[in-house]
Amino acid sequence: MKMVLLSGSNVGTKTRTVIDHLAEAVAAYDPTIDVSVVDLAEADMVFADGRNFTEYTGDTGRVARELMDADAIIIGTPIFQASIPAALKNVFDLLPVNAFLDKVVGVIATAGSSKHYLIPAQHLLPILSYMKAQVVQPYVFVEESDLHRGEIVSHDVLQRLDHLVEDTIVLTRTYASIREERDAAYGF
């Protein structure tokens, strides 16, 4: 199984802190999973211009191909001005409409206030559904008070993140098994 953990902002550190925890949690759950971290703050991305994702080069092409090649993705997004960042939306614009077909996608969101709790449900989940993702429920919301000096300090958040990792892996394996059974039924 290939899993990509996407830190969906080109600024800040809170979302990356959570993504790093997820990478450790995946390795602890099953060290055979090929997990990679894609941090948009470390990528030199260009704006989507309508080309096929295979035509992009550099970091833009690499990020697009990693997402397309993944079996499972966990997307981390900060909430800025009551929405997802433009850097993350740009990634979605690079990909085809069915980019997440047969992929399991988990979501975490970081925000400065609990007032932004519903933003992932209102802004991110419709995009993921449109792109045919099998979305893991529920998403994990991490607010400012759950973090301190680059560490997750909320035991509740840590537990929910570990459950998200487990649910993402189990669902990915389950859907893969269902697809294999369906394909085997064709007999060729």
Side-chain angles (χ1 to χ4, degrees):
M1 174 188 315
K2 181 173 174 36
M3 181 183 290
V4 173
L5 307 176
L6 176 62
S7 184
S9 177
N10 57 2
V11 297
T13 59
K14 286 184 263 182
T15 303
R16 178 59 191 259
T17 296
V18 177
I19 291 292
D20 288 342
H21 172 80
L22 291 174
E24 293 170 9
V26 170
Y29 187 87
D30 184 346
T32 67
I33 294 174
D34 177 12
V35 62
S36 62
V37 172
V38 173
D39 188 345
L40 296 183
E42 298 171 353
D44 184 21
M45 303 288 289
V46 299
F47 286 112
D49 59 15
R51 285 183 274 170
N52 186 292
F53 78 94
T54 60
E55 296 176 31
Y56 290 96
T57 59
D59 288 344
T60 306
R62 177 185 57 81
V63 168
R65 283 186 297 281
E66 279 196 59
L67 291 169
M68 292 297 292
D69 291 343
D71 301 303
I73 303 165
I74 298 179
I75 297 171
T77 181
I79 305 301
F80 297 146
Q81 304 295 353
S83 187
I84 64 172
L88 180 57
K89 178 61 169 79
N90 184 55
V91 169
F92 298 138
D93 292 343
L94 293 166
L95 303 174
V97 171
N98 294 334
F100 300 137
L101 182 67
D102 295 332
K103 295 182 192 312
V104 173
V105 179
V107 174
I108 65 104
T110 59
S113 164
S114 61
K115 294 176 183 176
H116 296 300
Y117 177 77
L118 292 176
I119 299 304
Q122 295 170 338
H123 291 227
L124 184 54
L125 297 184
I127 295 168
L128 296 175
S129 294
Y130 177 76
M131 296 177 80
K132 311 297 188 280
Q134 297 294 328
V135 180
V136 180
Q137 298 295 331
Y139 58 84
V140 178
F141 185 81
V142 182
E143 60 184 294
E144 185 86 28
S145 62
D146 298 323
L147 300 163
H148 181 69
R149 294 185 180 180
E151 300 277 331
I152 302 169
V153 295
S154 168
H155 295 292
D156 179 57
V157 166
L158 289 168
Q159 185 177 37
R160 287 185 285 130
L161 290 170
D162 290 345
H163 283 297
L164 178 67
V165 165
E166 181 178 6
D167 291 348
T168 302
I169 293 168
V170 168
L171 283 172
T172 302
R173 289 178 175 153
T174 301
Y175 284 122
S177 175
I178 291 168
R179 283 191 303 277
E180 287 171 11
E181 281 183 33
R182 182 186 63 212
D183 292 347
Y186 291 115
F188 53 83

